[in-house]
Amino acid sequence: MKFFIDTANIAEIREGCNMGMVDGVTTNPSLISKEGRKFEDLVKEICDIVDGPVSAEVIRTDTDGMIQEARDLAGLHENIVVKIPMTIDGMKAVRNLTEEGIKTNVTLVFSPLQALMAAKAGATYVSPFVGRLDDISHEGMLLVEQIVEIYSNYAFDTEVIVASVRNPLHILESALMGADIATIPFNVLTKLASHPLTDKGLKAFLDDWKKTQS
Ligand code: G3P
């Protein structure tokens, strides 16, 4: 299972890389806006840090505009994957970009049929947003389960990125379901490592060790 980090913050990305937990990065316009930097400069810096796919999202919503923006983004660095919204225009853009050899990540996916369309259009990745479904009392992980099953039934190459992750259980369930990737916010990534019994056990070992030194 691959771990992507869902942030545009350089310090978080570097720390995640130091932990050996960053196989790729996903950004979106909201994450980029938090950093207060020029989009292209920030994305290029992320690509220089991370040896893996880096998703950067288009802003235009018409097919021609998305294709043009995607070409510009893909020209910035070989690691770039272009995030395209799950719309009819988006599907047309994905089909064209796939033919051109530009990698795509279809974003804002909230139903299994949207994911099926994204795969048929030739998307490299699909991003179901589980947390935002949970927020409106729909079971986000059920969506992932259905997408994984559909893709397996028909041997689609499109990889599933579990996105809008809010807690460690999203990662556990993703792994059990066989999702290819989870894109994880930094605060959730650090939570995966922590357990109170680890902290308690380490403290007891160190306290006992001190006794041997007196
Ligand atoms: O990057 C897309 C996705 O992960 C956004 O998450 O928390 O804004 O729903 P969130």
Side-chain angles (χ1 to χ4, degrees):
M1 182 184 186
K2 283 172 273 186
F3 280 8
F4 289 0
I5 190 163
D6 195 28
T7 183
N9 182 276
I10 296 292
E12 291 182 350
I13 292 168
R14 283 194 195 282
E15 183 62 8
C17 287
N18 290 341
M19 290 160 61
M21 294 297 151
V22 176
D23 301 308
V25 179
T26 53
T27 69
N28 61 40
S30 305
L31 293 171
I32 294 282
S33 78
K34 278 193 205 165
E35 301 307 313
R37 288 186 49 190
K38 190 167 171 254
F39 178 38
E40 289 81 0
D41 294 348
L42 183 52
V43 164
K44 266 199 272 187
E45 187 173 343
I46 294 171
C47 289
D48 288 337
I49 296 169
V50 177
D51 184 20
V54 174
S55 287
E57 189 160 339
V58 295
I59 303 304
R60 293 275 296 268
T61 54
D62 59 301
T63 301
D64 289 346
M66 281 190 260
I67 290 172
Q68 192 49 57
E69 234 185 295
R71 287 179 184 145
D72 292 345
L73 284 170
L76 290 177
H77 198 285
E78 61 185 2
N79 291 357
I80 293 283
V81 172
V82 182
K83 250 183 166 178
I84 303 281
M86 177 60 228
T87 59
I88 298 290
D89 271 46
M91 292 306 92
K92 293 182 200 166
V94 167
R95 189 178 68 81
N96 279 277
L97 293 167
T98 300
E99 279 170 15
E100 285 183 31
I102 294 176
K103 291 185 177 154
T104 55
N105 172 0
V106 174
T107 188
L108 292 165
V109 166
F110 294 96
S111 87
L113 294 175
Q114 289 180 320
L116 178 56
M117 288 184 87
K120 285 183 68 64
T124 320
Y125 302 99
V126 67
S127 290
F129 275 30
V130 297
R132 292 190 193 186
L133 280 169
D134 291 349
D135 289 345
I136 59 159
S137 308
H138 285 247
E139 209 181 319
M141 290 311 298
L142 181 61
L143 169 61
V144 175
E145 191 178 3
Q146 290 176 334
I147 296 172
V148 168
E149 186 174 341
I150 290 168
Y151 284 10
S152 154
N153 285 346
Y154 298 101
F156 282 116
D157 291 331
T158 305
E159 290 189 71
V160 179
I161 305 179
V162 179
S164 186
V165 160
R166 300 279 160 79
N167 59 62
L169 284 180
H170 282 147
I171 310 304
L172 174 61
E173 289 177 51
S174 300
L176 290 170
M177 285 171 190
D180 304 283
I181 303 149
T183 189
I184 311 174
F186 185 75
N187 72 316
V188 176
L189 185 63
T190 53
K191 280 182 194 160
L192 300 186
S194 77
H195 196 289
L197 290 181
T198 306
D199 298 341
K200 190 179 168 194
L202 180 59
K203 184 175 180 314
F205 284 156
L206 294 178
D207 288 347
D208 288 342
W209 181 254
K210 269 188 214 150
K211 291 176 202 159
T212 71
Q213 303 299 299
S214 52

